Each structure stands twice: as C-alpha cells, then as structure tokens.
Amino acid sequence: MSTVSVNILAIESSCDETSAAVIQNGKVLSNTIATQKVHERYGGVVPELASRAHMQNIVPVVDTALKDAGINKHDITAVAFTRSPGLIGSLLVGACFAKAYAQALDIPLIAVHHMQAHVLAHFIEDKPEFPFLCLTVSGGHTQIVLCRDYLDMEVLGQTIDDAAGEAFDKVAKMLGLPYPGGPLIDKYASEGDPLRFKFPMSEMKDYEFSFSGIKTAVLYFLQAQKKTDPAFVEKNINDICASVQYTIINMLMNKLRKAARDLDIKQVGIAGGVSANSGLRKAIKEEGDKNGWQVYIPRFEYCTDNAAMIGITGYYKYLTGAFADMTASPDARGSW
Ligand code: KG4
Ligand code: ZN
C-alpha cells in the first residue's frame, strides 16, 4: 500500500535571512538561505533594506528550494510561513508570497511562530523526549521554554530588556566589528582569556534575564581604558571578547540549570542564532555531563534563521489540522 507524502513548502523572512525549505513527511529535502549582506556596514539590520532584499530574493530562493528538493510545485501539500514575531515589512513579504502560492495551488496555508520554530528545530534530526527544556537565544529573544509536546510549549521566563544576541552584537559594534558581531566575538574569544576582565552578572528573579547591564558596563569599561590607551581594543580584543562571552554564557547557564533542577527535567537543549556560539555549545555539554542531562544542540544551519525549522513546525501543525486562512496577517510581536 503506498502512502501519500506530505510536502511542506516553508518560507522564513522575519529578519535579514530569506529562506525557503521543502520538508517531506518531517524530513528536510532542501533548505535554501539567502543572507542579506546589505546590513553589514550599518551595524544592524535596516528594516526597509531588509524588506526590499526579501522581495528580490524570495522568488529565486523558493525556486532553488524546489529544485534542490526535486519537487514540482504541484506536489506541494501545504505552504508554511513565519507569521510572527519579526520586522513587519520583512514578514509581509513572506506572508504575501505564501498566501499567493497557497491560493494559486489551492492548498492549505500554515502560520508559524518563529520562536516556536527555533525550538522545534530540534526535531528535524534529534527528536528529544518530552518534557523538554529549551533555552532559545537569538538576536531578538532569550527564553527558557518548557515543551510538553510539539505544539504545547510554555515560556517560563525571558529577557526583560535586550536579548543575548543583541548583547553580542552591540558589544561587537563597540569594538568596531561589523554586523552581526556574535560570530566574530565567538572567533576572537576562542583565542582569549575569559577571566582577564570582570563584567557584572545580572541577578534576575525566577527565569528572567537582563542583558542591558553588561552592555553598559562594557561601554564604560572601554571608554575608561581608551582614555589611557587609545589602542586598548586592538591590543586586547581576544581577551575582551572571551570575557564578555564568558559572562553572557554564565548568565544563560545559571538560569537553565535552575529551571532544569526546579522542574527535574533531563532533556535539555539550546536553540536560536546564539546556540551557534562555540562557548555556549561547550558549556551546555559540560553542564549536561555534571547533571546527567541528555543535551541537544541543533546543527549550525538549524540554529540561525532558516526555513527548515518553519517547515518542521508547519508539518506538526499540518498533522493536527492547524491551518490559517487568508486573513492571517503578519504580527511583529505576536505570541504563539
Ligand atoms: O536566530 P537568529 O538567526 O535570528 C533571530 O531570530 O534573531 O539569531 C541571530 C543572532 C545574532 O544576534 C547573531 O549575532 C547571533 O545570533 N549569533 C551568534 C553566533 N552566531 C549567530 N552569537 C554568538 N556566537 C555565534 N557564533
Ligand atoms: Zn530567529
């Protein structure tokens, strides 16, 4: 007896990555990502430029995803797209494209929450057991999420101000590094001494985070040092990056450890762009060894923004019949 394949075409356009993927019965057939280089020189994502770049990229990116997957558009079962959160102009491009595609082919439309998708990126390959605890760290969010099931998630705590990725990017900017600075801090940190400089760790209640303090502390620290030595940054960049990274990772791990202990959960993972950080990947493995956790870390291409994670979420929503209608409009801050 032959089984019919469920082929999800997924579109991600929430920030500065235009991505399309094809997921067949929960397996990734293709995952095409066009990263927008245009923002580098501005030290951050420029929303209007992001929207325009999405408009230029979306057709070729979807074409490539279909070709790489070896799938004809008439074999697509449903179209999933990122509905929220994100930059409204960027979301609009993906949403309009997905709606038009679904309508033209007369197939269902599935609206996906970007942060839920970051968590479900774990189920592309590894498939953790439930309950699963996920620290999601991206450019816009820092959350500890309790997952009871694929689509049954609860945010236990999050940042009250900046996200961890934002802290990486802003410190990088102070050091004169281009956007996004997170990967560069990671690179310099690998050669530096994490204990050379001390930065304050925020003490927040429960599972909340705050990263605005470290950003300000680094700013004042650099201003003071540069007064006595204008070449301070160039001479010490490795140690500065290592020390900042060490402090951010400690703040993240302290809360993750607390949540895992309080809830007695041993299935623990990290997700989102900052989970590509080599120091954080090492730290969670070490913490896992100490506490008997089964640790989950997505492959690099599923950490930063990608449509495969939108596709896997779309697949689970498809299985439960959670479809959207043509009125599903993008929402910059929507909850799941
Ligand atoms: O999840 P993501 O791709 O986009 C959002 O949803 O925000 O995360 C992007 C963030 C940026 O802040 C970027 O600097 C950070 O992830 N990032 C890293 C690394 N790779 C990406 N931060 C630290 N170390 C890295 N290796
Ligand atoms: Zn993201």
Side-chain angles (χ1 to χ4, degrees):
M1 201 177 75
S2 73
T3 46
V4 180
S5 287
V6 176
N7 296 321
I8 309 282
L9 171 67
I11 315 278
E12 154 63 31
S13 72
S14 64
C15 191
D16 58 342
E17 249 97 28
T18 319
S19 181
V22 177
I23 311 293
Q24 184 170 70
N25 301 329
K27 294 221 159 31
V28 178
L29 295 187
S30 65
N31 183 37
T32 307
I33 305 170
T35 301
Q36 304 175 1
K37 295 277 174 217
V38 64
H39 310 288
E40 261 174 27
R41 79 186 96 135
Y42 298 100
V45 177
V46 184
E48 178 59 23
L49 295 180
S51 314
R52 291 184 205 184
H54 283 306
M55 284 170 64
Q56 284 176 339
N57 292 343
I58 193 133
V59 172
V61 163
V62 169
D63 263 355
T64 307
L66 289 171
K67 271 193 202 110
D68 287 355
I71 290 275
N72 184 289
K73 65 175 180 295
H74 295 291
D75 295 324
I76 297 293
T77 319
V79 185
F81 72 102
T82 306
R83 177 170 177 230
S84 65
L87 301 170
I88 195 70
S90 294
L91 290 168
L92 261 170
V93 178
C96 291
F97 185 94
K99 284 184 194 179
Y101 214 92
Q103 199 159 37
L105 293 171
D106 197 19
I107 53 178
L109 182 69
I110 301 168
V112 170
H113 192 283
H114 183 88
M115 298 314 292
Q116 190 163 36
H118 268 305
V119 176
L120 289 179
H122 282 287
F123 295 85
I124 293 174
E125 289 179 324
D126 281 343
K127 317 233 180 294
E129 285 166 24
F130 299 110
F132 169 56
L133 195 62
C134 187
L135 169 70
T136 317
V137 263
S138 72
H141 294 78
T142 304
Q143 302 181 325
I144 294 193
V145 182
L146 166 64
C147 313
R148 298 187 189 87
D149 205 341
Y150 298 109
L151 301 171
D152 181 3
M153 299 185 191
E154 185 186 340
V155 178
L156 298 178
Q158 55 192 326
T159 179
I160 60 152
D161 43 48
D162 289 355
E166 214 173 335
F168 271 104
D169 295 337
K170 285 180 177 166
V171 168
K173 196 172 175 185
M174 291 174 209
L175 297 172
L177 302 173
Y179 177 86
L184 291 167
I185 295 210
D186 190 357
K187 184 173 146 251
Y188 288 114
S190 65
E191 305 284 320
D193 174 2
L195 303 178
R196 169 92 187 278
F197 304 113
K198 286 254 168 312
F199 296 111
M201 302 229 302
S202 56
E203 300 279 342
M204 306 302 295
K205 69 173 167 61
D206 303 330
Y207 312 117
E208 285 183 352
F209 300 92
S210 166
F211 292 100
S212 63
I214 182 164
K215 184 186 68 185
T216 316
V218 175
L219 179 69
Y220 290 154
F221 168 76
L222 293 178
Q223 280 173 353
Q225 296 294 329
K226 281 199 269 189
K227 266 190 201 145
T228 47
D229 180 3
F232 177 78
V233 169
E234 293 81 76
K235 285 183 197 157
N236 297 287
I237 190 143
N238 293 344
D239 291 346
I240 301 169
C241 289
S243 302
V244 170
Q245 182 172 298
Y246 174 81
T247 313
I248 294 175
I249 291 173
N250 271 344
M251 284 193 252
L252 293 170
M253 291 312 301
N254 286 349
K255 293 293 176 161
L256 186 60
R257 190 186 309 114
K258 174 176 163 50
R261 212 178 272 159
D262 291 354
L263 282 90
D264 192 22
I265 294 180
K266 302 270 183 218
Q267 303 275 311
V268 185
I270 46 174
V274 182
S275 64
N277 182 271
S278 51
L280 182 59
R281 292 166 92 91
K282 188 162 165 263
I284 193 176
K285 278 186 204 146
E286 285 171 4
E287 197 62 45
D289 287 345
K290 271 191 233 153
N291 300 300
W293 297 347
Q294 176 79 36
V295 168
Y296 296 94
I297 306 174
R299 244 203 284 165
F300 277 110
E301 61 262 47
Y302 302 140
C303 288
T304 44
D305 288 350
N306 67 88
M309 68 183 194
I310 305 302
I312 193 85
T313 311
Y315 176 65
Y316 290 121
K317 286 195 139 185
Y318 178 88
L319 295 180
T320 61
F323 300 126
D325 62 33
M326 288 294 154
T327 63
S329 51
D331 186 349
R333 295 183 177 276
S335 57
W336 60 52

